[in-house]
Amino acid sequence: TVYEFYIMLSPKTGLAFADVADRTVYVYGEKATHNSGYAYMGEVTAIHKHQYNDEVWAFDAEGHWQPCVVPGCTNPHEEWFMYEDHWGGGATCQQTGICARCGEEYLGYHDFAVPDYQYVDDMKCANFCEYCDLWIDWSYHEGGVSTCQQKAVCDICHHEYGNLAACAGGKATCTQRAKCATCGEEYGELAEHELSMATCTQKAVCQTCGGEFGELAEHSFGEWIEEIPATVETTGTKAHKDCAVCNKHFDGDGNEIADLTIEKLVTPEDPENPENPENPENPENPENPESPDNSNTPNASNAPTEDKDGLGTGAIVGIAIGSVAVAGVGGFALFWFVIKKKTWADFIAIFKKK
């Protein structure tokens, strides 16, 4: 009999079979080249229907199945029936056991049923077989925090991974390195000095070690103060600027001024009569220039006499008085023009003020 039907390739054995009107018709077919079944239209010649017995099992290293028990079946194992893996008997991937179904000794299988993620290397962990070192489904390590004393612990495999962290915490100064907040050891380098602001009187000072560093700063000048001239009655003040830090005084070129005082102006003596400027005609008796003191009136006994061989006494006295007058004028000129550094204009201004 010829039937038209879909032919399926068995994912287990690669042999073909077909279902026609609720009857399974087994046919010869080429083994599949892949494990997934597929269907196609075809024509085959029907043969007898295979029959099975629950007490009769065929097996191989991986499992067992029921062969056809029809007498004269030329292909009893053409297709499996009730195929299943060996089971029971305590077999594992590392130890053989006796199959509870077919009684065949077999080596068990890898067991990944219970996730057992273990450390593989510093990059990853994986799900290991319960009985051997075979692993699948690997994952990168994740989670955990490393310190300078302990590596991070993976949240998946609970194993340390990666590197130790650097020491952290603490504060370094210019005299001591920082101390790690975890291990308490010093680490890193000394810090820079924490310097105060330098001034014109004090170099920058480190707030930690107290050392002085750098150079003195420039003066901090305030506004320019104009000169206050001196008078006969009051002293004057030189033009200057003051440093707000050291309070010293400086001229326009930045030179320090030790004393700002300008001395009072001095009225000079009459160069013609320095001894008695009010009455140059009679210095001895200014009240009555016409009537000199009787004690100074010459008489016969104290009148000057002439030296027969030279100048008379009067001449000598006149020369002496003239010399004194010249010395007085010269001294005044030395004092006024050289020491006081005044001019004729300054000298004339004095008399104008009077």
Side-chain angles (χ1 to χ4, degrees):
T1 303
V2 177
Y3 298 93
E4 185 176 295
F5 52 84
Y6 286 101
I7 293 179
M8 302 294 296
L9 290 180
S10 167
K12 186 66 180 179
T13 66
L15 299 178
F17 70 94
D19 185 6
V20 181
D22 297 328
R23 284 179 30 176
T24 300
V25 178
Y26 292 87
V27 297
Y28 293 103
E30 295 182 356
K31 287 192 175 182
T33 57
H34 51 77
N35 289 331
S36 61
Y38 66 95
Y40 64 93
M41 291 295 294
E43 293 183 358
V44 297
T45 300
I47 57 176
H48 72 275
K49 181 178 180 180
H50 292 300
Q51 298 180 15
Y52 308 98
N53 188 327
D54 291 340
E55 301 299 326
V56 180
W57 292 89
F59 52 82
D60 58 19
E62 297 182 0
H64 46 251
W65 66 94
Q66 294 176 337
C68 177
V69 296
V70 174
C73 179
T74 58
N75 230 338
H77 306 290
E78 179 182 11
E79 182 52 54
W80 55 265
F81 182 72
M82 287 294 294
Y83 183 94
E84 63 181 1
D85 293 330
H86 295 301
W87 54 274
T92 69
C93 60
Q94 301 297 307
Q95 179 179 328
T96 60
I98 303 300
C99 177
R101 170 73 73 183
C102 67
E104 176 68 12
E105 184 179 10
Y106 72 100
L107 184 65
Y109 312 104
H110 296 289
D111 188 353
F112 300 100
V114 179
D116 182 23
Y117 280 83
Q118 299 179 32
Y119 176 89
V120 176
D121 54 35
D122 263 0
M123 181 184 73
K124 61 183 177 294
C125 53
N127 186 19
F128 276 71
C129 171
E130 184 177 351
Y131 303 108
C132 69
D133 293 334
L134 182 67
W135 53 265
I136 59 174
D137 301 332
W138 68 272
S139 172
Y140 288 111
H141 294 296
E142 62 182 42
V145 178
S146 63
T147 69
C148 59
Q149 294 181 314
Q150 183 176 359
K151 297 179 180 180
V153 177
C154 176
D155 290 341
I156 300 175
C157 67
H158 308 294
H159 191 282
E160 291 184 348
Y161 71 96
N163 300 316
L164 294 175
C167 289
K171 182 180 180 181
T173 68
C174 59
T175 59
Q176 185 176 21
R177 297 188 300 166
K179 286 188 176 181
C180 177
T182 302
C183 65
E185 296 294 329
E186 292 186 358
Y187 70 96
E189 303 295 333
L190 294 176
E192 298 292 334
H193 295 283
E194 295 184 5
L195 300 178
S196 64
M197 186 71 70
T199 67
C200 58
T201 60
Q202 175 72 60
K203 295 180 179 180
V205 177
C206 176
Q207 304 302 304
T208 302
C209 67
E212 293 186 350
F213 298 89
E215 303 296 333
L216 294 176
E218 297 292 333
H219 292 285
S220 180
F221 294 120
E223 296 182 355
W224 178 255
I225 302 174
E226 298 294 340
E227 176 182 315
I228 300 176
T231 66
V232 176
E233 291 79 15
T234 61
T235 59
T237 303
K238 298 175 183 178
H240 65 283
K241 53 186 177 182
D242 294 332
C243 175
V245 178
C246 64
N247 297 319
K248 292 182 179 180
H249 316 295
F250 298 86
D251 62 18
D253 296 326
N255 300 312
E256 183 179 351
I257 303 174
D259 186 4
L260 296 177
T261 304
I262 301 175
E263 297 296 334
K264 296 179 182 179
L265 298 179
V266 178
T267 302
E269 297 178 350
D270 186 352
E272 299 297 329
N273 189 10
E275 296 296 330
N276 188 8
E278 298 296 332
N279 189 6
E281 298 298 329
N282 188 7
E284 298 296 332
N285 187 8
E287 298 296 332
N288 187 7
E290 299 299 329
S291 301
D293 193 317
N294 291 333
S295 61
N296 294 327
T297 302
N299 53 33
S301 60
N302 57 15
T305 59
E306 292 184 359
D307 187 352
K308 294 182 180 181
D309 296 329
L311 296 174
T313 302
I316 294 173
V317 171
I319 293 173
I321 293 172
S323 299
V324 170
V326 172
V329 172
F332 168 76
L334 177 64
F335 171 78
W336 184 255
F337 296 106
V338 177
I339 297 176
K340 296 294 288 184
K341 296 182 179 180
K342 300 294 183 175
T343 63
W344 280 110
D346 297 326
F347 180 77
I348 296 171
I350 294 173
F351 291 98
K352 288 181 178 181
K353 290 181 180 180
K354 292 185 176 183

